[in-house]
Amino acid sequence: SSGINAEYGEQGDDGDFFYVVDSGTLDCYVKIGGEERMVKTYGNGESFGELALMYNTPRAATIIAKEDSVLWALDRQTFRHLVLFKTMKKRNMYEEFLNAIPILQSLESYERMNLADALQSKSYKEGDVIITQGDAADAFYIIEEGEVVVKVKDTFSSQQTNDEQGEVVVNELHRGDYFGELALIDNKPRAATIYALTDCTCALLDVKAFERLLGPCVDILKRNAEVYEQQLTALFGQVSLEDLRR
């Protein structure tokens, strides 16, 4: 516990502890243009100090207790051990899975490990909409478990009005398959809607991580556009991905 105005690290100091606020409030000050400004207030359940420990860099801010406060502190060695253990556990979990995905074979081993670090796992129930045709692209998906179905709006049947347009199944995808890549590469809206066919789990890679980590695979991913358009042609005649994005 600490009293008012107690200081927990000064900007520029070496990091020593990771802190979790049990009770009380603390203000975070950062020097901007030579002037110290309060940029955030920490309260119950919030934490700070992890960046200096993770990246072995000086403290990025000064933290001062605004009132009597109680904090939990974790020393550098224990914190790094726990973080590294969690990282290695996640890498080991994804290593075999990622190695078995053909498009990732062109990546070096260390690149696949970086990819594993960036992936976020998300679960869906049967029938859930994972992505929607026409929406902006936000992530790339790899199926860890379960099955999904790919559908597109049937806007090409001359007999239908907009209100009557249904959806047509284009493909079904399973463990190790992936989707969502073309909208990210082309920076275009989603060309299909993906539904969870069963309860399933997907590994998500956000836009920035996709651009940073999957650069070596982009040419291979772009070739998928030709396969997708062949599937659409088989269903609707001469149709392109751009037709689905309108």
Side-chain angles (χ1 to χ4, degrees), residues 94 120-130 141-148 179 195-196 198-204:
Y94 278 121
Q120 298 294 323
S121 193
K122 186 172 182 180
S123 296
Y124 300 90
K125 294 291 187 182
E126 178 182 347
D128 282 354
V129 177
I130 302 175
Y141 299 75
I142 305 173
I143 302 172
E144 294 183 47
E145 298 292 343
E147 302 176 9
V148 306
F179 56 91
Y195 297 91
T198 65
D199 289 354
C200 65
T201 303
C202 295
L204 278 66

PDB file of all heavy atoms in Angstrom, residues 94 120-130 141-148 179 195-196 198-204:
ATOM      1  N   TYR A  94       0.737 -23.781 -31.756  1.00  0.00           N
ATOM      2  CA  TYR A  94       0.487 -23.464 -33.162  1.00  0.00           C
ATOM      3  C   TYR A  94       1.530 -24.050 -34.124  1.00  0.00           C
ATOM      4  O   TYR A  94       1.291 -24.104 -35.333  1.00  0.00           O
ATOM      5  CB  TYR A  94       0.451 -21.950 -33.363  1.00  0.00           C
ATOM      6  CG  TYR A  94      -0.875 -21.317 -33.016  1.00  0.00           C
ATOM      7  CD1 TYR A  94      -0.982 -20.334 -32.040  1.00  0.00           C
ATOM      8  CD2 TYR A  94      -2.041 -21.698 -33.684  1.00  0.00           C
ATOM      9  CE1 TYR A  94      -2.204 -19.749 -31.721  1.00  0.00           C
ATOM     10  CE2 TYR A  94      -3.269 -21.121 -33.374  1.00  0.00           C
ATOM     11  CZ  TYR A  94      -3.338 -20.152 -32.393  1.00  0.00           C
ATOM     12  OH  TYR A  94      -4.542 -19.580 -32.092  1.00  0.00           O
ATOM     13  N   GLN A 120      -4.769 -14.591 -32.819  1.00  0.00           N
ATOM     14  CA  GLN A 120      -5.727 -14.556 -31.719  1.00  0.00           C
ATOM     15  C   GLN A 120      -6.834 -15.564 -32.013  1.00  0.00           C
ATOM     16  O   GLN A 120      -7.428 -15.550 -33.082  1.00  0.00           O
ATOM     17  CB  GLN A 120      -6.332 -13.156 -31.565  1.00  0.00           C
ATOM     18  CG  GLN A 120      -5.335 -12.074 -31.228  1.00  0.00           C
ATOM     19  CD  GLN A 120      -4.715 -12.276 -29.848  1.00  0.00           C
ATOM     20  OE1 GLN A 120      -5.380 -12.705 -28.910  1.00  0.00           O
ATOM     21  NE2 GLN A 120      -3.424 -11.960 -29.722  1.00  0.00           N
ATOM     22  N   SER A 121      -7.079 -16.452 -31.066  1.00  0.00           N
ATOM     23  CA  SER A 121      -8.070 -17.508 -31.267  1.00  0.00           C
ATOM     24  C   SER A 121      -9.470 -17.010 -30.899  1.00  0.00           C
ATOM     25  O   SER A 121      -9.646 -16.315 -29.897  1.00  0.00           O
ATOM     26  CB  SER A 121      -7.698 -18.717 -30.402  1.00  0.00           C
ATOM     27  OG  SER A 121      -8.448 -19.844 -30.781  1.00  0.00           O
ATOM     28  N   LYS A 122     -10.460 -17.356 -31.742  1.00  0.00           N
ATOM     29  CA  LYS A 122     -11.840 -16.941 -31.482  1.00  0.00           C
ATOM     30  C   LYS A 122     -12.793 -18.078 -31.840  1.00  0.00           C
ATOM     31  O   LYS A 122     -12.633 -18.714 -32.881  1.00  0.00           O
ATOM     32  CB  LYS A 122     -12.191 -15.689 -32.293  1.00  0.00           C
ATOM     33  CG  LYS A 122     -13.555 -15.108 -31.957  1.00  0.00           C
ATOM     34  CD  LYS A 122     -13.778 -13.760 -32.629  1.00  0.00           C
ATOM     35  CE  LYS A 122     -15.126 -13.165 -32.253  1.00  0.00           C
ATOM     36  NZ  LYS A 122     -15.359 -11.846 -32.900  1.00  0.00           N
ATOM     37  N   SER A 123     -13.756 -18.330 -30.983  1.00  0.00           N
ATOM     38  CA  SER A 123     -14.701 -19.434 -31.185  1.00  0.00           C
ATOM     39  C   SER A 123     -16.048 -18.920 -31.674  1.00  0.00           C
ATOM     40  O   SER A 123     -16.477 -17.811 -31.319  1.00  0.00           O
ATOM     41  CB  SER A 123     -14.888 -20.215 -29.879  1.00  0.00           C
ATOM     42  OG  SER A 123     -13.675 -20.822 -29.484  1.00  0.00           O
ATOM     43  N   TYR A 124     -16.724 -19.752 -32.482  1.00  0.00           N
ATOM     44  CA  TYR A 124     -18.031 -19.419 -33.027  1.00  0.00           C
ATOM     45  C   TYR A 124     -18.977 -20.607 -32.846  1.00  0.00           C
ATOM     46  O   TYR A 124     -18.547 -21.775 -32.907  1.00  0.00           O
ATOM     47  CB  TYR A 124     -17.927 -19.095 -34.523  1.00  0.00           C
ATOM     48  CG  TYR A 124     -17.012 -17.931 -34.838  1.00  0.00           C
ATOM     49  CD1 TYR A 124     -15.656 -18.139 -35.088  1.00  0.00           C
ATOM     50  CD2 TYR A 124     -17.496 -16.633 -34.890  1.00  0.00           C
ATOM     51  CE1 TYR A 124     -14.805 -17.074 -35.369  1.00  0.00           C
ATOM     52  CE2 TYR A 124     -16.655 -15.564 -35.177  1.00  0.00           C
ATOM     53  CZ  TYR A 124     -15.317 -15.797 -35.413  1.00  0.00           C
ATOM     54  OH  TYR A 124     -14.469 -14.741 -35.694  1.00  0.00           O
ATOM     55  N   LYS A 125     -20.245 -20.296 -32.647  1.00  0.00           N
ATOM     56  CA  LYS A 125     -21.263 -21.332 -32.551  1.00  0.00           C
ATOM     57  C   LYS A 125     -21.829 -21.646 -33.932  1.00  0.00           C
ATOM     58  O   LYS A 125     -21.787 -20.813 -34.843  1.00  0.00           O
ATOM     59  CB  LYS A 125     -22.405 -20.876 -31.632  1.00  0.00           C
ATOM     60  CG  LYS A 125     -22.009 -20.691 -30.180  1.00  0.00           C
ATOM     61  CD  LYS A 125     -21.691 -22.013 -29.525  1.00  0.00           C
ATOM     62  CE  LYS A 125     -21.450 -21.851 -28.033  1.00  0.00           C
ATOM     63  NZ  LYS A 125     -21.091 -23.145 -27.395  1.00  0.00           N
ATOM     64  N   GLU A 126     -22.361 -22.853 -34.088  1.00  0.00           N
ATOM     65  CA  GLU A 126     -22.983 -23.241 -35.353  1.00  0.00           C
ATOM     66  C   GLU A 126     -24.008 -22.195 -35.776  1.00  0.00           C
ATOM     67  O   GLU A 126     -24.854 -21.784 -34.984  1.00  0.00           O
ATOM     68  CB  GLU A 126     -23.654 -24.605 -35.193  1.00  0.00           C
ATOM     69  CG  GLU A 126     -24.372 -25.094 -36.439  1.00  0.00           C
ATOM     70  CD  GLU A 126     -25.065 -26.423 -36.234  1.00  0.00           C
ATOM     71  OE1 GLU A 126     -24.790 -27.088 -35.207  1.00  0.00           O
ATOM     72  OE2 GLU A 126     -25.897 -26.792 -37.092  1.00  0.00           O
ATOM     73  N   GLY A 127     -23.899 -21.728 -37.018  1.00  0.00           N
ATOM     74  CA  GLY A 127     -24.828 -20.734 -37.545  1.00  0.00           C
ATOM     75  C   GLY A 127     -24.362 -19.301 -37.401  1.00  0.00           C
ATOM     76  O   GLY A 127     -24.953 -18.398 -38.009  1.00  0.00           O
ATOM     77  N   ASP A 128     -23.331 -19.052 -36.610  1.00  0.00           N
ATOM     78  CA  ASP A 128     -22.813 -17.687 -36.442  1.00  0.00           C
ATOM     79  C   ASP A 128     -22.282 -17.140 -37.767  1.00  0.00           C
ATOM     80  O   ASP A 128     -21.699 -17.887 -38.573  1.00  0.00           O
ATOM     81  CB  ASP A 128     -21.674 -17.653 -35.422  1.00  0.00           C
ATOM     82  CG  ASP A 128     -22.169 -17.698 -33.987  1.00  0.00           C
ATOM     83  OD1 ASP A 128     -23.385 -17.652 -33.784  1.00  0.00           O
ATOM     84  OD2 ASP A 128     -21.313 -17.784 -33.069  1.00  0.00           O
ATOM     85  N   VAL A 129     -22.472 -15.846 -37.992  1.00  0.00           N
ATOM     86  CA  VAL A 129     -21.878 -15.168 -39.146  1.00  0.00           C
ATOM     87  C   VAL A 129     -20.470 -14.721 -38.740  1.00  0.00           C
ATOM     88  O   VAL A 129     -20.297 -13.982 -37.774  1.00  0.00           O
ATOM     89  CB  VAL A 129     -22.707 -13.947 -39.572  1.00  0.00           C
ATOM     90  CG1 VAL A 129     -22.023 -13.227 -40.728  1.00  0.00           C
ATOM     91  CG2 VAL A 129     -24.111 -14.374 -39.969  1.00  0.00           C
ATOM     92  N   ILE A 130     -19.465 -15.161 -39.488  1.00  0.00           N
ATOM     93  CA  ILE A 130     -18.078 -14.816 -39.162  1.00  0.00           C
ATOM     94  C   ILE A 130     -17.661 -13.560 -39.914  1.00  0.00           C
ATOM     95  O   ILE A 130     -17.098 -12.638 -39.318  1.00  0.00           O
ATOM     96  CB  ILE A 130     -17.137 -15.999 -39.476  1.00  0.00           C
ATOM     97  CG1 ILE A 130     -17.579 -17.239 -38.685  1.00  0.00           C
ATOM     98  CG2 ILE A 130     -15.682 -15.636 -39.149  1.00  0.00           C
ATOM     99  CD1 ILE A 130     -16.803 -18.495 -39.008  1.00  0.00           C
ATOM    100  N   TYR A 141      -8.366 -15.189 -41.550  1.00  0.00           N
ATOM    101  CA  TYR A 141      -8.816 -16.278 -40.689  1.00  0.00           C
ATOM    102  C   TYR A 141      -8.215 -17.619 -41.130  1.00  0.00           C
ATOM    103  O   TYR A 141      -8.187 -17.927 -42.318  1.00  0.00           O
ATOM    104  CB  TYR A 141     -10.341 -16.408 -40.737  1.00  0.00           C
ATOM    105  CG  TYR A 141     -11.101 -15.198 -40.260  1.00  0.00           C
ATOM    106  CD1 TYR A 141     -11.206 -14.045 -41.038  1.00  0.00           C
ATOM    107  CD2 TYR A 141     -11.730 -15.193 -39.021  1.00  0.00           C
ATOM    108  CE1 TYR A 141     -11.914 -12.933 -40.605  1.00  0.00           C
ATOM    109  CE2 TYR A 141     -12.462 -14.082 -38.576  1.00  0.00           C
ATOM    110  CZ  TYR A 141     -12.540 -12.965 -39.376  1.00  0.00           C
ATOM    111  OH  TYR A 141     -13.250 -11.859 -38.950  1.00  0.00           O
ATOM    112  N   ILE A 142      -7.765 -18.402 -40.148  1.00  0.00           N
ATOM    113  CA  ILE A 142      -7.343 -19.784 -40.382  1.00  0.00           C
ATOM    114  C   ILE A 142      -8.193 -20.665 -39.480  1.00  0.00           C
ATOM    115  O   ILE A 142      -8.311 -20.403 -38.279  1.00  0.00           O
ATOM    116  CB  ILE A 142      -5.852 -20.000 -40.058  1.00  0.00           C
ATOM    117  CG1 ILE A 142      -4.976 -19.014 -40.837  1.00  0.00           C
ATOM    118  CG2 ILE A 142      -5.443 -21.442 -40.383  1.00  0.00           C
ATOM    119  CD1 ILE A 142      -3.503 -19.057 -40.440  1.00  0.00           C
ATOM    120  N   ILE A 143      -8.794 -21.705 -40.038  1.00  0.00           N
ATOM    121  CA  ILE A 143      -9.680 -22.566 -39.249  1.00  0.00           C
ATOM    122  C   ILE A 143      -8.851 -23.542 -38.421  1.00  0.00           C
ATOM    123  O   ILE A 143      -8.084 -24.340 -38.961  1.00  0.00           O
ATOM    124  CB  ILE A 143     -10.643 -23.338 -40.164  1.00  0.00           C
ATOM    125  CG1 ILE A 143     -11.476 -22.366 -41.017  1.00  0.00           C
ATOM    126  CG2 ILE A 143     -11.575 -24.226 -39.331  1.00  0.00           C
ATOM    127  CD1 ILE A 143     -12.315 -23.047 -42.088  1.00  0.00           C
ATOM    128  N   GLU A 144      -9.015 -23.450 -37.103  1.00  0.00           N
ATOM    129  CA  GLU A 144      -8.333 -24.377 -36.195  1.00  0.00           C
ATOM    130  C   GLU A 144      -9.135 -25.661 -36.009  1.00  0.00           C
ATOM    131  O   GLU A 144      -8.584 -26.760 -36.023  1.00  0.00           O
ATOM    132  CB  GLU A 144      -8.117 -23.723 -34.831  1.00  0.00           C
ATOM    133  CG  GLU A 144      -7.164 -22.546 -34.827  1.00  0.00           C
ATOM    134  CD  GLU A 144      -6.964 -22.023 -33.416  1.00  0.00           C
ATOM    135  OE1 GLU A 144      -6.727 -22.835 -32.496  1.00  0.00           O
ATOM    136  OE2 GLU A 144      -7.057 -20.799 -33.214  1.00  0.00           O
ATOM    137  N   GLU A 145     -10.432 -25.509 -35.784  1.00  0.00           N
ATOM    138  CA  GLU A 145     -11.326 -26.648 -35.571  1.00  0.00           C
ATOM    139  C   GLU A 145     -12.682 -26.324 -36.173  1.00  0.00           C
ATOM    140  O   GLU A 145     -13.103 -25.164 -36.185  1.00  0.00           O
ATOM    141  CB  GLU A 145     -11.495 -26.950 -34.081  1.00  0.00           C
ATOM    142  CG  GLU A 145     -10.227 -27.348 -33.347  1.00  0.00           C
ATOM    143  CD  GLU A 145      -9.666 -28.694 -33.774  1.00  0.00           C
ATOM    144  OE1 GLU A 145     -10.422 -29.478 -34.416  1.00  0.00           O
ATOM    145  OE2 GLU A 145      -8.488 -28.961 -33.480  1.00  0.00           O
ATOM    146  N   GLY A 146     -13.374 -27.363 -36.670  1.00  0.00           N
ATOM    147  CA  GLY A 146     -14.723 -27.174 -37.182  1.00  0.00           C
ATOM    148  C   GLY A 146     -14.775 -26.890 -38.669  1.00  0.00           C
ATOM    149  O   GLY A 146     -13.772 -27.017 -39.381  1.00  0.00           O
ATOM    150  N   GLU A 147     -15.970 -26.507 -39.134  1.00  0.00           N
ATOM    151  CA  GLU A 147     -16.198 -26.268 -40.556  1.00  0.00           C
ATOM    152  C   GLU A 147     -16.991 -24.977 -40.752  1.00  0.00           C
ATOM    153  O   GLU A 147     -17.795 -24.596 -39.906  1.00  0.00           O
ATOM    154  CB  GLU A 147     -16.978 -27.437 -41.179  1.00  0.00           C
ATOM    155  CG  GLU A 147     -16.293 -28.784 -41.026  1.00  0.00           C
ATOM    156  CD  GLU A 147     -17.149 -29.925 -41.561  1.00  0.00           C
ATOM    157  OE1 GLU A 147     -18.180 -29.635 -42.202  1.00  0.00           O
ATOM    158  OE2 GLU A 147     -16.800 -31.092 -41.321  1.00  0.00           O
ATOM    159  N   VAL A 148     -16.748 -24.324 -41.883  1.00  0.00           N
ATOM    160  CA  VAL A 148     -17.507 -23.128 -42.244  1.00  0.00           C
ATOM    161  C   VAL A 148     -18.019 -23.282 -43.668  1.00  0.00           C
ATOM    162  O   VAL A 148     -17.506 -24.100 -44.440  1.00  0.00           O
ATOM    163  CB  VAL A 148     -16.652 -21.835 -42.130  1.00  0.00           C
ATOM    164  CG1 VAL A 148     -16.017 -21.723 -40.749  1.00  0.00           C
ATOM    165  CG2 VAL A 148     -15.573 -21.774 -43.216  1.00  0.00           C
ATOM    166  N   PHE A 179      -9.489 -18.066 -44.964  1.00  0.00           N
ATOM    167  CA  PHE A 179     -10.355 -17.180 -45.751  1.00  0.00           C
ATOM    168  C   PHE A 179     -10.153 -15.749 -45.288  1.00  0.00           C
ATOM    169  O   PHE A 179      -9.550 -15.485 -44.240  1.00  0.00           O
ATOM    170  CB  PHE A 179     -11.826 -17.594 -45.627  1.00  0.00           C
ATOM    171  CG  PHE A 179     -12.357 -17.654 -44.223  1.00  0.00           C
ATOM    172  CD1 PHE A 179     -12.947 -16.544 -43.634  1.00  0.00           C
ATOM    173  CD2 PHE A 179     -12.278 -18.820 -43.481  1.00  0.00           C
ATOM    174  CE1 PHE A 179     -13.442 -16.593 -42.342  1.00  0.00           C
ATOM    175  CE2 PHE A 179     -12.766 -18.890 -42.170  1.00  0.00           C
ATOM    176  CZ  PHE A 179     -13.352 -17.771 -41.608  1.00  0.00           C
ATOM    177  N   TYR A 195     -20.324 -18.495 -42.814  1.00  0.00           N
ATOM    178  CA  TYR A 195     -21.091 -18.952 -41.656  1.00  0.00           C
ATOM    179  C   TYR A 195     -20.381 -20.140 -41.008  1.00  0.00           C
ATOM    180  O   TYR A 195     -19.741 -20.945 -41.695  1.00  0.00           O
ATOM    181  CB  TYR A 195     -22.488 -19.426 -42.082  1.00  0.00           C
ATOM    182  CG  TYR A 195     -23.367 -18.370 -42.693  1.00  0.00           C
ATOM    183  CD1 TYR A 195     -23.377 -18.158 -44.067  1.00  0.00           C
ATOM    184  CD2 TYR A 195     -24.210 -17.593 -41.903  1.00  0.00           C
ATOM    185  CE1 TYR A 195     -24.200 -17.202 -44.646  1.00  0.00           C
ATOM    186  CE2 TYR A 195     -25.048 -16.632 -42.466  1.00  0.00           C
ATOM    187  CZ  TYR A 195     -25.035 -16.448 -43.836  1.00  0.00           C
ATOM    188  OH  TYR A 195     -25.849 -15.493 -44.401  1.00  0.00           O
ATOM    189  N   ALA A 196     -20.508 -20.249 -39.692  1.00  0.00           N
ATOM    190  CA  ALA A 196     -20.011 -21.436 -38.999  1.00  0.00           C
ATOM    191  C   ALA A 196     -20.971 -22.587 -39.297  1.00  0.00           C
ATOM    192  O   ALA A 196     -22.145 -22.538 -38.934  1.00  0.00           O
ATOM    193  CB  ALA A 196     -19.929 -21.175 -37.501  1.00  0.00           C
ATOM    194  N   THR A 198     -20.423 -25.699 -38.265  1.00  0.00           N
ATOM    195  CA  THR A 198     -20.446 -26.400 -36.982  1.00  0.00           C
ATOM    196  C   THR A 198     -19.858 -25.430 -35.944  1.00  0.00           C
ATOM    197  O   THR A 198     -19.374 -24.361 -36.307  1.00  0.00           O
ATOM    198  CB  THR A 198     -19.567 -27.660 -37.022  1.00  0.00           C
ATOM    199  OG1 THR A 198     -18.191 -27.275 -37.209  1.00  0.00           O
ATOM    200  CG2 THR A 198     -19.972 -28.586 -38.160  1.00  0.00           C
ATOM    201  N   ASP A 199     -19.886 -25.793 -34.685  1.00  0.00           N
ATOM    202  CA  ASP A 199     -19.107 -25.029 -33.714  1.00  0.00           C
ATOM    203  C   ASP A 199     -17.663 -25.044 -34.201  1.00  0.00           C
ATOM    204  O   ASP A 199     -17.144 -26.105 -34.594  1.00  0.00           O
ATOM    205  CB  ASP A 199     -19.181 -25.668 -32.327  1.00  0.00           C
ATOM    206  CG  ASP A 199     -20.551 -25.511 -31.684  1.00  0.00           C
ATOM    207  OD1 ASP A 199     -21.397 -24.809 -32.262  1.00  0.00           O
ATOM    208  OD2 ASP A 199     -20.766 -26.095 -30.609  1.00  0.00           O
ATOM    209  N   CYS A 200     -17.007 -23.895 -34.227  1.00  0.00           N
ATOM    210  CA  CYS A 200     -15.656 -23.859 -34.780  1.00  0.00           C
ATOM    211  C   CYS A 200     -14.801 -22.810 -34.081  1.00  0.00           C
ATOM    212  O   CYS A 200     -15.304 -21.928 -33.387  1.00  0.00           O
ATOM    213  CB  CYS A 200     -15.679 -23.603 -36.290  1.00  0.00           C
ATOM    214  SG  CYS A 200     -16.331 -21.989 -36.768  1.00  0.00           S
ATOM    215  N   THR A 201     -13.499 -22.957 -34.276  1.00  0.00           N
ATOM    216  CA  THR A 201     -12.524 -22.019 -33.733  1.00  0.00           C
ATOM    217  C   THR A 201     -11.619 -21.568 -34.858  1.00  0.00           C
ATOM    218  O   THR A 201     -11.138 -22.391 -35.645  1.00  0.00           O
ATOM    219  CB  THR A 201     -11.682 -22.663 -32.624  1.00  0.00           C
ATOM    220  OG1 THR A 201     -12.553 -23.141 -31.594  1.00  0.00           O
ATOM    221  CG2 THR A 201     -10.709 -21.658 -32.014  1.00  0.00           C
ATOM    222  N   CYS A 202     -11.395 -20.257 -34.953  1.00  0.00           N
ATOM    223  CA  CYS A 202     -10.520 -19.696 -35.982  1.00  0.00           C
ATOM    224  C   CYS A 202      -9.386 -18.913 -35.330  1.00  0.00           C
ATOM    225  O   CYS A 202      -9.554 -18.306 -34.274  1.00  0.00           O
ATOM    226  CB  CYS A 202     -11.294 -18.762 -36.910  1.00  0.00           C
ATOM    227  SG  CYS A 202     -12.568 -19.570 -37.896  1.00  0.00           S
ATOM    228  N   ALA A 203      -8.225 -18.951 -35.978  1.00  0.00           N
ATOM    229  CA  ALA A 203      -7.101 -18.110 -35.574  1.00  0.00           C
ATOM    230  C   ALA A 203      -7.146 -16.862 -36.440  1.00  0.00           C
ATOM    231  O   ALA A 203      -7.145 -16.951 -37.670  1.00  0.00           O
ATOM    232  CB  ALA A 203      -5.787 -18.860 -35.758  1.00  0.00           C
ATOM    233  N   LEU A 204      -7.206 -15.689 -35.809  1.00  0.00           N
ATOM    234  CA  LEU A 204      -7.349 -14.414 -36.527  1.00  0.00           C
ATOM    235  C   LEU A 204      -6.032 -13.661 -36.552  1.00  0.00           C
ATOM    236  O   LEU A 204      -5.292 -13.639 -35.571  1.00  0.00           O
ATOM    237  CB  LEU A 204      -8.398 -13.537 -35.854  1.00  0.00           C
ATOM    238  CG  LEU A 204      -9.873 -13.791 -36.165  1.00  0.00           C
ATOM    239  CD1 LEU A 204     -10.323 -15.146 -35.637  1.00  0.00           C
ATOM    240  CD2 LEU A 204     -10.736 -12.696 -35.551  1.00  0.00           C
TER     241      LEU A 204
END
